[in-house]
């Protein structure tokens, strides 16, 4: 029973009419989730800027408010005050609609993220499939933003979007299926409950594949070709300013938060942990995942688009399929075995596969390709 | 049924985060593949060659600072070498050693900046830039201690240098020279074995040896293509024949080799610095030159190995206080003519990276 | 050139970045903290000594740009009396050639570098504004006597405080927030 269902029963017990209890419980849940998301997105923006500064041996923003915590609010206020410019020959309806299509699916993902024990907005029994389906809608938004801007730089970004987003969906889904097989259910709360040992240890290869695919879906370094600052000068949001740009900006950090929550739920055993209250464990794990993402951004240069696709199709996808076979074999034929033996077997398999793939293929740097 | 495509022209315009200065390229793209590149220059033209005809020989020295503004001391050095060749002036020993110390530190500073921004073009989000600038800041402090400025030094004079070094310069420089190889190893750890850098730069933007010699390239661009030519060894100026250093040569002439040659050149510069500081004699720092110099009628070409290539100054004098003709041979303009050969057939991301590896400074190209 | 495989090169790079989390940041928070300048800095100003100047205009002839304007008249003791000594500090590139040229040490570079004004005409400085004063101190560029009296610069290459290096704060919580001191 989730907390919301308990709350609704409580309201029914107080003799409220049925529709009122449903409506009020739903609204309370939505407001709590939205508050959680928006506050954490703002904290993420601050956290990333400070952490990136520390990696680069400088301070991040530290002027507004103690240690700069009001900086994201100042950024938001500045963006709101800017003039909203639409290019003359742009497709006005799609230009207006694109930020909405990018931002709304991010909020929809949070409906099935278990923040604490029983604290979930709606306990769908196909939770993870819902997440995959909804998050793929943002790709349409980015592509239409690129097309509708009537700008060649944005068009190049739009080409790359379609390629990148579609290529990285496959290994993502296959890695998720590995987790689902071991957990035995598609529902997010079930997946968290079934993790006596976190799946990061049980399926290291699955974790690595999933992590790299989420970074690619989020358009962050080293896969941030869509907004490659040094080549195509801000990519798909080159012609956006004002509140529409704020939607893209918030959408990017919202995506980061959403995928960090999904990684935590699937592989790091969600809210489980000793001593501290569960919600605190969840937030700590989400920040750890996000810190790793920022760490990768600070260090690595970006890939070229054909190398990116080669990496997905020739590298991650076969490894994901083989990983799926191994996990399926273990679940089918060794269901009662001690889990630690499986840990050792899986880590060995991951090591062998990574070594094998590094030897077998190169990412094509020496040919002239047309 | 073949899909019909048509190439389009993209304007990588004068305002762009990655063209190092105001530089414009008209790129014809077929999807992502570059078909044609046409550079357009002239956005930073200030008429320095014409201004030189109206100023005395000493007054031109601050003008030469502003050519390649990231390596001003070597510009000054090339110019005063040309004037001294024209007028037949001999300079004291201590001045020669001081010039070498300053020129080699300038080479380290310029290469740090070049490599840092090369990595920024690759996408590494300013992290290598900031690490390398930390070392460059130490060098800029040392320069400020000697000649008072951090960017446009105006340090060399006709007949020597303008000031002697203060007493705290040598211990600080020795400390820098001992610490620097450790930092260079750190940069190698960050970059040289990083798979993504290797995959993006190896084999990309190849400049074959014959093409490099044909177009007259010089500097690290030429040496990365496998040609063993360095003005410091081929036509030694100043007292470079007294020092013991190697010339790093690349094998394939691609972007990675240009980056590697610059890193090795920094190590060789540190070697020269150690030797120069050990051999520094005492004495005056400037020869006895009249304030308004009137060289005899004639012409001279003074060239040095600047960090970007062979920088040359051509002076024609008609026995007055100002030169009759003052012409500058910029290395990066000649290197830039190879851009089209290097880039056609690769993708637009490679265009930016290849352009960054040539290491242009627009002040020199447009003068 | 040592090539790595299997993702180890990336891991080494990330280990280096992680190590940098534990080095103190090198930001100097201007305007509350300022880096010390050298004794010979050619700052954004000129300092003129009224009593030493004889109006010979050697500095005006040495300037590459022609920034210095001098108007004199012949005085009672058969000397030049300077009526007008104007320097266009907007066009000046602070190269120091005028300072080196002056035979009477009447001109020196300044130590300040925060001399911006709101209007271009305010930057053309007249002889009253150029004189030595509390806010306009000379630097030791080409003036060895002044240089000997100035404090030595704190160098960045001596990071260590004990050797006289710059003092850099961990996390830099700025005590005095606000614009300028």
């Amino acid at each position: 029973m989730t907390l919301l269902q308990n709350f609704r029963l409580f309201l029914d017990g107080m003799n409220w009419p049925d529709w009122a209890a449903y409506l009020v419980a739903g609204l309370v849940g939505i407001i709590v989730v939205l508050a959680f998301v928006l506050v954490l997105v703002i904290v993420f923006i601050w956290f990333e800027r400070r952490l990136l500064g520390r990696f680069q041996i400088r301070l991040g923003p530290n002027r507004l408010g103690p240690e700069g915590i009001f900086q994201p609010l100042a950024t938001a206020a500045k963006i709101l005050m800017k003039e909203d410019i639409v290019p003359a020959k742009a497709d006005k309806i799609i230009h207006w609609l694109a930020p909405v299509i990018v931002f709304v699916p991010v909020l929809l993902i949070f409906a099935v993220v278990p923040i604490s024990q029983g604290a979930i907005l709606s306990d769908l029994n196909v939770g993870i499939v819902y997440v995959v389906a909804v998050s793929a809608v943002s790709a349409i938004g980015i592509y239409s933003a690129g097309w509708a801007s009537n700008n060649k730089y944005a068009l190049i970004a739009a080409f790359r979007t379609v390629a990148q987003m579609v290529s990285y969906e496959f290994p993502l889904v296959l890695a998720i299926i590995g987790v689902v097989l071991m957990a035995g259910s598609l529902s997010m709360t079930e997946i968290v409950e079934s993790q006596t040992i976190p799946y990061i240890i049980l399926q290291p290869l699955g974790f690595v594949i999933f992590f790299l695919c989420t970074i690619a879906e989020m358009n962050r370094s080293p896969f941030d070709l869509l907004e490659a600052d040094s080549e195509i000068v801000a990519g798909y949001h080159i012609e956006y300013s004002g509140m529409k740009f704020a939607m893209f900006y918030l959408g990017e950090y919202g995506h980061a938060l959403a995928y960090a929550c999904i990684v935590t739920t699937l592989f790091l055993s969600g809210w489980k942990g000793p001593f501290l209250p569960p919600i605190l464990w969840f937030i700590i794990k989400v920040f750890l995942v996000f810190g790793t993402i920022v760490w990768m951004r600070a260090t690595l240069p970006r890939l070229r688009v054909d190398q990116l696709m080669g990496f997905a199709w020739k590298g991650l996808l076969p490894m994901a399929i083989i990983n799926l076979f191994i996990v399926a074999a273990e679940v089918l034929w060794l269901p009662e075995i001690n889990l630690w033996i499986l840990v050792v077997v899986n880590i060995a398999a991951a090591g062998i596969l990574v070594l094998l793939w590094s030897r077998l293929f190169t990412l094509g740097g020496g040919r002239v390709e047309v | 049924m073949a899909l019909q495509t048509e190439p389009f022209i993209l304007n990588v315009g004068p305002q762009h985060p990655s063209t190092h200065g105001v530089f414009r390229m008209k790129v014809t793209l077929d999807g992502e593949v570059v078909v044609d590149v046409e550079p357009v220059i002239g956005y930073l033209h200030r008429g320095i060659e014409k201004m030189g005809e109206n100023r005395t020989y000493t007054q031109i020295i601050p003008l030469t600072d502003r050519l390649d503004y990231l390596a001003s001391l070597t510009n000054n050095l090339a110019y005063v070498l040309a004037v001294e060749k024209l007028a037949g002036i001999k300079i004291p020993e201590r001045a020669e050693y001081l010039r070498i110390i300053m020129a080699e530190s300038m080479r380290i500073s310029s290469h740090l900046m070049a490599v840092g921004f090369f990595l920024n073009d690759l996408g590494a989000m300013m992290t290598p830039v900031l690490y390398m600038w930390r070392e460059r800041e130490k060098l800029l402090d040392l320069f400020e201690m000697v000649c008072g400025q951090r960017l446009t030094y105006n340090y060399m004079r006709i007949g020597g240098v303008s000031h002697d070094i203060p007493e705290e310069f040598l211990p600080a420089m020795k400390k820098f020279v001992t610490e620097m190889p450790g930092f260079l190893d750190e940069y190698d750890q960050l970059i040289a074995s990083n798979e993504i850098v290797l995959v993006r730069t190896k084999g990309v933007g190849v400049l074959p040896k014959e093409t490099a010699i044909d177009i007259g390239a010089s500097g690290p661009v030429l040496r990365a293509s496998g040609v063993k030519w360095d003005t410091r060894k081929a036509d030694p100026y100043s007292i470079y024949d007294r020092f013991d250093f190697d010339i790093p040569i690349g094998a394939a002439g691609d972007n990675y080799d240009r980056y590697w040659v610059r890193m090795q050149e920094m190590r060789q510069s540190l070697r020269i610095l150690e030797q120069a500081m050990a051999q520094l004699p005492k004495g005056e720092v400037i020869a006895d030159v009249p304030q308004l110099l009137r060289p005899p009628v004639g012409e001279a070409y003074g060239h040095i190995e600047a960090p970007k290539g062979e920088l040359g100054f051509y002076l024609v004098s008609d026995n007055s206080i100002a030169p009759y003709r003052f012409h500058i041979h910029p290395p990066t303009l000649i290197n830039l003519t190879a851009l089209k050969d290097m880039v056609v057939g690769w993708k637009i991301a490679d265009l930016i990276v290849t352009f960054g590896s040539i290491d242009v400074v627009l002040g020199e190209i447009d003068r | 050139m040592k090539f790595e495989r299997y993702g180890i090169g990336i891991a080494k790079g990330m280990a280096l970045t992680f190590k940098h989390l534990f080095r103190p940041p090198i930001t100097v928070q201007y305007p509350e903290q300022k880096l010390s300048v050298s004794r010979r800095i050619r700052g954004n100003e000129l300092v003129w000594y009224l009593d030493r100047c004889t109006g010979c205009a050697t500095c005006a002839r040495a300037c590459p740009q022609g920034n210095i304007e001098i108007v004199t008249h012949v005085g009672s003791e058969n000397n030049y009396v300077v009526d007008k000594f104007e320097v266009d500090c907007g066009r000046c590139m602070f190269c120091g050639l005028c300072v080196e040229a002056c035979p009477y040490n009447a001109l020196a570079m300044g130590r300040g570098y925060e001399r911006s004004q709101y209007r271009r005409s305010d930057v053309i400085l007249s002889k009253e504004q150029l004189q030595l004063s509390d806010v306009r101190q000379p630097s030791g560029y080409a003036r060895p006597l002044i240089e000997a009296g100035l404090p030595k610069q704190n160098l960045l290459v001596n990071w260590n405080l004990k050797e006289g290096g710059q003092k850099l704060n961990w996390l830099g919580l700025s005590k005095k927030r606000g614009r300028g001191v």
Side-chain angles (χ1 to χ4, degrees):
Chain A
M1 289 294 278
T2 72
L3 286 179
L4 265 188
Q5 287 167 337
N6 282 336
F7 182 56
R8 198 172 146 199
L9 284 180
F10 166 71
L11 284 184
D12 276 340
M14 290 207 324
N15 288 330
W16 283 35
D18 222 4
W19 55 268
Y22 177 68
L23 211 59
V24 168
L27 276 178
V28 164
I30 291 177
I31 289 176
V32 164
V33 164
L34 275 183
F36 175 76
V37 168
L38 290 177
V39 166
L40 267 190
V41 162
I42 288 187
V43 172
F44 264 22
I45 297 178
W46 172 84
F47 183 65
E48 165 167 23
R49 289 180 72 166
R50 291 294 299 227
L51 193 61
L52 204 58
R54 291 297 288 124
F55 277 124
Q56 294 171 348
I57 49 172
R58 58 179 175 93
L59 306 165
N62 65 347
R63 291 271 161 176
L64 298 172
E67 295 290 346
I69 55 176
F70 296 139
Q71 180 75 33
L73 296 176
T75 310
K78 173 202 82 160
I79 292 182
L80 279 175
M81 289 197 287
K82 290 206 174 186
E83 179 187 348
D84 188 14
I85 303 176
V86 178
K89 289 202 203 158
D91 194 338
K92 296 213 176 5
I93 302 179
I94 301 185
H95 190 91
W96 178 86
L97 206 56
V100 176
I101 304 181
V102 168
F103 185 59
V104 168
V106 170
L107 292 177
L108 287 179
I109 293 181
F110 284 99
V112 293
V113 166
I115 304 175
S116 171
Q117 185 154 13
I120 187 172
L121 184 54
S122 82
D123 191 9
L124 288 180
N125 55 356
V126 286
I128 196 68
V129 174
Y130 167 79
V131 165
V132 169
V134 160
S135 68
V137 176
S138 308
I140 302 180
I142 297 177
Y143 178 72
S144 46
W147 176 260
S149 295
N150 192 31
N151 186 337
K152 285 178 190 156
Y153 284 115
L155 195 62
I156 296 181
F159 300 156
R160 293 176 176 181
T161 306
V162 173
Q164 180 177 335
M165 295 269 186
V166 165
S167 318
Y168 278 90
E169 287 284 336
F170 284 96
L172 185 88
V173 170
L174 289 176
I176 292 179
I177 296 182
V179 168
V180 163
L181 279 180
M182 247 192 200
S185 149
L186 286 170
S187 150
M188 299 284 263
T189 42
E190 288 282 327
I191 294 178
V192 173
E193 299 277 343
S194 71
Q195 287 186 39
T196 44
I197 307 181
Y199 285 149
I200 183 174
I201 308 179
L202 262 183
Q203 297 185 26
L205 190 60
F207 172 72
V208 166
I209 294 175
F210 186 73
F211 193 57
L212 289 177
C213 288
T214 52
I215 298 184
E217 294 281 328
M218 279 196 274
N219 310 326
R220 295 196 63 111
S221 274
F223 304 111
D224 63 344
L225 323 147
L226 303 192
E227 47 165 49
D229 282 329
S230 54
E231 299 159 26
I232 50 178
V233 196
Y236 61 95
H237 51 72
I238 196 174
E239 292 280 358
Y240 282 88
S241 64
M243 193 58 200
K244 298 182 189 167
F245 177 72
M247 284 269 153
F248 277 121
Y249 193 61
L250 283 177
E252 176 176 335
Y253 284 97
H255 257 107
L257 178 64
Y259 278 116
C261 291
I262 305 286
V263 168
T264 317
T265 314
L266 288 184
F267 286 97
L268 291 176
S269 74
W271 42 259
K272 283 191 176 172
F275 310 123
L276 296 175
I279 188 167
L280 217 55
W281 269 117
F282 186 76
I283 291 183
I284 291 177
K285 289 178 192 177
V286 164
F287 269 88
L288 271 178
V289 171
F290 187 62
T292 311
I293 295 177
V294 173
W295 186 14
M296 288 181 77
R297 178 183 185 193
T299 322
L300 300 174
R302 68 175 72 96
L303 288 174
R304 210 173 56 193
V305 69
D306 58 328
Q307 293 161 354
L308 181 97
M309 306 249 280
F311 185 56
W313 290 97
K314 294 193 273 193
L316 288 184
L317 186 62
M319 283 210 278
I321 295 179
I322 296 181
N323 177 44
L324 187 60
F325 277 141
I326 295 177
V327 168
E330 286 171 7
V331 166
L332 197 58
W333 291 320
L334 309 168
E336 299 298 327
I337 202 170
N338 187 5
L339 283 176
W340 290 101
I341 303 183
L342 283 184
V343 167
V344 171
V345 167
N346 276 342
I347 292 184
I352 294 176
L353 274 178
V354 167
L355 259 101
L356 208 60
W357 246 257
S358 309
R359 283 196 169 276
L360 280 185
F361 81 102
T362 57
L363 280 178
R367 306 186 298 277
V368 174
E369 305 182 61
V370 178
Chain B
M1 188 172 80
L3 193 62
Q4 191 194 12
T5 59
E6 119 183 357
F8 65 97
I9 299 184
L10 183 70
N11 179 34
V12 182
Q15 290 170 324
H16 193 270
S18 280
T19 60
H20 302 225
V22 276
F23 179 73
R24 180 175 162 214
M25 291 187 273
K26 290 199 233 176
V27 183
T28 311
L29 289 175
D30 183 10
E32 283 252 351
V33 176
V34 172
V35 170
D36 191 16
V37 173
E38 184 189 325
V40 177
I41 57 178
Y43 289 93
L44 196 54
H45 179 70
R46 295 159 287 181
I48 290 187
E49 295 187 0
K50 179 66 184 172
M51 277 159 63
E53 294 173 14
N54 292 330
R55 280 156 174 75
T56 69
Y57 286 92
T58 314
Q59 286 175 344
I60 297 182
I61 300 179
L63 284 185
T64 60
D65 268 341
R66 279 135 176 101
L67 285 173
D68 175 6
Y69 36 81
L70 297 174
S72 309
L73 282 170
T74 43
N75 296 351
N76 290 348
L77 179 60
Y79 172 69
V80 295
L81 277 178
V83 176
E84 284 160 12
K85 215 188 256 190
L86 189 60
I89 304 174
K90 192 157 174 353
I91 65 174
E93 282 288 303
R94 189 172 167 91
E96 299 264 24
Y97 277 93
L98 283 178
R99 280 184 181 180
I100 303 262
I101 291 176
M102 286 297 165
E104 292 305 316
S105 331
M106 197 76 240
R107 192 182 309 269
I108 297 177
S109 162
S110 173
H111 280 324
L112 278 174
M113 182 122 178
V115 173
F117 278 101
F118 171 68
L119 287 161
N120 199 28
D121 286 343
L122 270 179
M125 210 56 85
M126 295 295 281
T127 310
V129 171
L130 286 169
Y131 292 171
M132 294 184 182
W133 274 24
R134 187 186 51 204
E135 308 313 310
R136 189 170 170 259
E137 278 295 315
K138 298 178 184 170
L139 269 177
L140 291 186
D141 250 4
L142 290 170
F143 290 141
E144 187 188 348
M145 195 199 319
V146 175
C147 49
Q149 283 266 6
R150 285 157 53 99
L151 195 69
T152 52
Y153 303 104
N154 192 19
Y155 182 57
M156 315 274 178
R157 295 279 182 270
I158 304 169
V161 293
S162 68
H163 291 79
D164 200 354
I165 51 176
E167 68 226 358
E168 63 260 24
F169 181 78
L170 278 179
M173 193 59 142
K174 284 200 176 78
K175 184 153 191 259
F176 176 77
V177 168
T178 37
E179 283 179 349
M180 189 65 184
F183 285 112
L184 284 176
D185 290 332
E186 261 191 23
Y187 302 147
D188 277 339
Q189 183 188 353
L190 180 63
I191 302 153
S193 46
N194 194 342
E195 282 96 351
I196 299 183
V197 170
L198 288 177
V199 141
R200 281 293 297 268
T201 56
K202 266 214 149 305
V204 175
V206 174
L207 185 65
K209 199 164 162 178
E210 294 77 24
T211 318
I213 301 178
D214 278 344
I215 63 170
S218 55
V221 173
L222 181 68
R223 288 196 279 281
S225 295
V227 181
K228 202 175 173 83
W229 177 268
D230 186 335
T231 314
R232 293 176 287 177
K233 294 261 194 197
D235 184 12
Y237 54 94
S238 193
I239 45 168
Y240 270 105
D241 38 7
R242 296 187 209 173
F243 297 116
D244 174 34
F245 61 100
D246 302 321
I247 310 175
I249 310 279
D254 51 14
N255 288 344
Y256 187 80
D257 277 340
R258 284 188 274 271
Y259 149 77
W260 186 83
V261 161
R262 287 194 176 103
M263 295 296 279
Q264 296 301 313
E265 279 191 9
M266 280 201 266
R267 292 183 200 264
Q268 299 301 320
S269 287
L270 286 172
R271 268 175 78 183
I272 301 181
L273 272 178
E274 277 175 7
Q275 295 168 34
M277 283 198 291
Q279 301 173 15
L280 187 65
K282 301 218 180 299
E284 317 175 315
V285 291
I286 191 164
D288 203 9
V289 172
Q291 210 175 26
L292 287 180
L293 181 66
R294 279 176 197 266
V297 174
E299 58 186 26
Y301 178 72
H303 63 155
I304 65 160
E305 182 73 20
K308 312 253 183 323
E310 174 179 321
L311 175 66
F313 282 82
Y314 175 67
L315 285 167
V316 174
S317 140
D318 57 350
N319 204 18
S320 67
I321 55 173
Y324 178 73
R325 173 79 173 109
F326 168 62
H327 177 70
I328 307 162
H329 167 97
T332 36
L333 178 63
I334 313 292
N335 290 347
L336 195 61
T337 51
L339 184 66
K340 185 168 167 184
D341 293 320
M342 286 200 267
V343 155
V344 166
W346 293 99
K347 304 206 167 31
I348 187 172
D350 300 321
L351 168 71
I352 305 286
V353 173
T354 311
F355 182 65
S357 79
I358 306 179
D359 187 22
V360 293
V361 172
L362 262 296
E364 211 173 36
I365 294 182
D366 287 337
R367 294 186 293 279
Chain C
M1 300 197 257
K2 197 164 158 314
F3 300 133
E4 304 283 347
R5 302 190 111 163
Y6 324 124
I8 296 185
I10 296 184
K12 285 200 325 197
M14 287 175 69
L16 178 72
T17 323
F18 191 70
K19 195 169 77 165
H20 276 277
L21 273 182
F22 302 110
R23 289 190 181 165
I26 57 173
T27 315
V28 174
Q29 305 222 61
Y30 187 85
E32 287 92 9
Q33 309 164 338
K34 296 183 197 188
L35 285 177
S36 65
V37 294
S38 79
R39 297 186 281 175
R40 291 186 195 170
I41 184 172
R42 307 204 297 253
N44 272 5
E45 55 191 5
L46 287 171
V47 177
W48 183 59
Y49 291 83
L50 173 65
D51 37 356
R52 294 186 209 163
C53 178
T54 59
C56 66
T58 311
C59 54
R61 236 176 300 142
C63 176
Q65 311 248 39
N67 290 330
I68 308 182
E69 182 181 346
I70 303 181
V71 174
T72 59
H73 66 267
V74 180
S76 51
E77 299 153 22
N78 205 19
N79 63 340
Y80 283 129
V81 174
V82 177
D83 292 330
K84 183 171 163 194
F85 186 94
E86 249 186 27
V87 177
D88 186 350
C89 285
R91 286 189 72 201
C92 178
M93 51 175 166
F94 305 103
C95 60
L97 287 178
C98 54
V99 170
E100 291 177 24
C102 179
Y104 302 105
N105 288 351
L107 200 59
M109 303 291 311
R111 303 188 74 211
Y113 48 88
E114 298 150 323
R115 295 277 171 252
S116 29
Q117 306 288 336
Y118 281 105
R119 292 202 185 85
R120 253 184 225 197
S121 46
D122 286 343
V123 192
I124 304 178
L125 299 178
S126 62
K127 70 176 193 182
E128 290 81 22
Q129 289 164 306
L130 278 175
Q131 287 187 36
L132 179 70
S133 69
D134 291 330
V135 295
R136 204 170 257 273
Q137 289 295 308
S139 90
Y141 183 76
R143 300 278 174 261
L145 292 173
I146 300 180
E147 183 183 339
L150 289 173
K152 292 193 186 169
Q153 183 189 13
N154 269 339
L155 294 171
L156 284 175
V157 77
N158 299 329
W159 209 285
N160 198 345
L161 279 184
K162 292 193 261 315
E163 296 180 33
Q166 301 269 0
K167 186 169 186 315
L168 302 167
N169 297 326
W170 176 269
L171 273 195
L173 184 61
S174 134
K175 299 272 187 279
K176 265 202 258 186
R177 281 179 287 278
R179 306 314 302 154
V181 279

